[in-house]
Amino acid sequence: MKKTKITGVGYYVPDNIVTNKDLEKYMDTSDDWIVERTGINERRWVNEKIGTSDLAVKASEKAIEMAGLTPKDIELIIFATLTSDYNFPGSAVQVQDKMGMDTIGAFDIKVACSAFIYGLSIADQFIKTGQVNNVLLIGAEIQSTGIDVSTRGRDMAVLFGDGAGAVVLQATDGDSAILSTHMHSQGKFAQYLWAELPTSLENPCMSHEMLDAGRQFPQMNGREVFKNAVVRFPEVIMEALNANNLKVDDVDLFIPHQANLRITQFVAKRLGIGMDRMYSNIERYGNTTGASIPIALSEAYDNGKINDGDILILAAFGSGFTWASAAIRW
Ligand code: UT7
């Protein structure tokens, strides 16, 4: 049976840098509070009319070029995002159109911070069954236009950033491949990290009153998210290691979803490893939700932190709750 290899990576973040000091102008917060609780110094927020699919195209162009392919070679697009250009259809079809691809299958998955790893798992199944050979998997978000940039929304607003990452996945007979993926969910905690509107539970699904009450903005119980994240990350990482008879020391680089530097440090401690083997860029980009792992993966590759034959573990936790991991031999 064929296996699935990542043959191209690429990322793109908007030029506009928003520092913690900048946020002090819009809400009652401080650089000290944000750095101490999250490790974030700055994030990128779009400052022009541009869609999530536009960020995605820029990341995808790099990934497709690195793979030595053209957009016409792509047979399936999977787009991990919470913030598609429109409520529907999803942004995968925008990418299909903007990149001049054939009328291939293209769909979005809405699994928040775990969506990129869920997407890897889906792509892996499509390739292993022989249905397609070349998949474009994107994680991209524009969070900045959907959050409450005021003191009311400060717990969320300081965390999130915009950006895009993409990978090309191809069928291979070699040893460099996705070794395993594992996915989990626990919907009873859905309202610990969610955005309610538009909601099918109400008629109409959105009203002026609902908007005035701020029900369109993401809401979070930060402490519960934190508490669950620091348990689920190590658990799902160990699941990936055990499934492949690997030990923590066999792993060259862990690439976790960039939720909060404190969570990442906690996980590193639990695993008994130094931060040198735990990739982190949240200081510069904040939490970019579905985009955070592909951005980190691409950046780590560009910085020479990933070499042929390396063992990588990707892991994510977020809204749903959902959590997931992937083991990869590069
Ligand atoms: O991808 C998954 C996404 N989410 C996460 O990973 C988030 C996980 N959770 C966290 O990272 C942390 O819970 C936060 C960083 C969000 C918050 O840290 P915390 O230590 O749990 O703070 P808290 O929510 O308990 O709030 C402590 C205080 C509160 O004030 P009072 O009630 O003590 O007077 C908040 O109102 O900090 C206040 N606060 C802020 N102060 C300044 C909340 N947000 C801010 C802010 N600036 N941005």
Side-chain angles (χ1 to χ4, degrees):
M1 187 166 65
K2 294 280 183 196
K3 286 178 272 185
T4 305
K5 179 180 163 92
I6 296 177
T7 56
V9 294
Y11 76 102
Y12 175 80
V13 290
D15 292 335
N16 184 43
I17 296 173
V18 177
T19 65
N20 296 344
K21 279 264 166 239
D22 292 330
L23 293 181
E24 290 177 11
K25 290 180 226 150
Y26 306 110
M27 63 190 81
D28 180 13
T29 191
S30 67
D31 181 49
D32 283 351
W33 191 97
I34 300 171
V35 171
E36 191 194 315
R37 310 271 177 141
T38 72
I40 299 167
N41 295 315
E42 59 188 43
R43 70 287 293 143
R44 305 297 178 100
W45 282 3
V46 296
N47 59 353
E48 59 183 315
K49 189 166 175 178
I50 188 170
T52 303
S53 67
D54 297 307
L55 307 189
V57 165
K58 290 176 195 279
S60 300
E61 283 167 351
K62 292 181 194 159
I64 291 170
E65 190 188 335
M66 178 177 156
L69 300 180
T70 71
K72 291 268 182 220
D73 297 315
I74 300 297
E75 296 162 275
L76 177 69
I77 306 169
I78 305 174
F79 199 135
T81 187
L82 281 183
T83 53
S84 46
D85 297 27
Y86 309 114
N87 191 25
F88 75 86
S91 281
V93 299
Q94 313 291 334
V95 172
Q96 178 274 331
D97 180 47
K98 287 175 182 171
M99 298 194 78
M101 290 162 170
D102 292 335
T103 56
I104 55 174
F107 60 90
D108 287 24
I109 51 171
K110 205 184 221 182
V111 199
C113 305
S114 305
F116 183 78
I117 298 180
Y118 269 63
L120 269 185
S121 190
I122 296 167
D124 191 29
Q125 313 313 314
F126 270 98
I127 288 175
K128 285 198 293 211
T129 57
Q131 185 151 349
V132 295
N133 288 311
N134 304 327
V135 179
L136 175 64
L137 170 62
I138 302 161
E141 305 279 1
I142 294 182
Q143 294 286 1
S144 60
T145 54
I147 45 182
D148 183 358
V149 185
S150 74
T151 298
R152 180 178 67 175
R154 64 183 179 176
D155 59 328
M156 295 291 279
V158 302
L159 292 178
F160 292 97
D162 305 337
V167 299
V168 170
L169 299 146
Q170 293 189 266
T172 182
D173 293 313
D175 290 334
S176 290
I178 294 176
L179 304 176
S180 66
T181 55
H182 291 91
M183 302 179 284
H184 296 279
S185 66
Q186 199 171 21
K188 75 172 172 180
F189 294 126
Q191 293 185 8
Y192 280 168
L193 182 48
W194 71 321
E196 190 189 1
L197 301 186
T199 171
S200 59
L201 296 172
E202 305 257 14
N203 189 3
C205 62
M206 196 158 28
S207 66
H208 290 295
E209 289 71 28
M210 294 179 204
L211 294 175
D212 289 344
R215 288 166 62 185
Q216 72 278 27
F217 294 122
Q219 310 285 338
M220 176 175 69
N221 181 332
R223 288 192 171 221
E224 287 299 330
V225 175
F226 199 103
K227 248 170 47 192
N228 280 272
V230 295
V231 173
R232 297 306 188 184
F233 267 112
E235 198 177 273
V236 81
I237 287 171
M238 291 316 297
E239 190 174 17
L241 295 179
N242 293 338
N244 296 287
N245 290 320
L246 293 168
K247 297 201 167 36
V248 170
D249 281 348
D250 296 325
V251 179
D252 296 284
L253 191 63
F254 293 87
I255 304 182
H257 163 55
Q258 308 288 304
N260 178 327
L261 181 62
R262 305 294 161 240
I263 294 177
T264 305
Q265 288 169 332
F266 203 98
V267 175
K269 205 166 158 201
R270 265 290 167 81
L271 295 174
I273 62 164
M275 282 299 285
D276 53 319
R277 283 202 289 149
M278 187 66 94
Y279 197 79
S280 178
N281 60 13
I282 194 168
E283 307 78 16
R284 287 172 286 119
Y285 302 135
N287 176 346
T288 56
T289 321
S292 93
I293 292 179
I295 292 175
L297 177 68
S298 304
E299 199 181 62
Y301 178 80
D302 287 356
N303 294 343
K305 290 189 185 303
I306 301 177
N307 299 299
D308 288 350
D310 278 0
I311 298 289
L312 310 181
I313 298 288
L314 316 184
F317 176 86
S319 171
F321 291 145
T322 58
W323 59 102
S325 62
I328 296 166
R329 180 177 289 109
W330 195 259

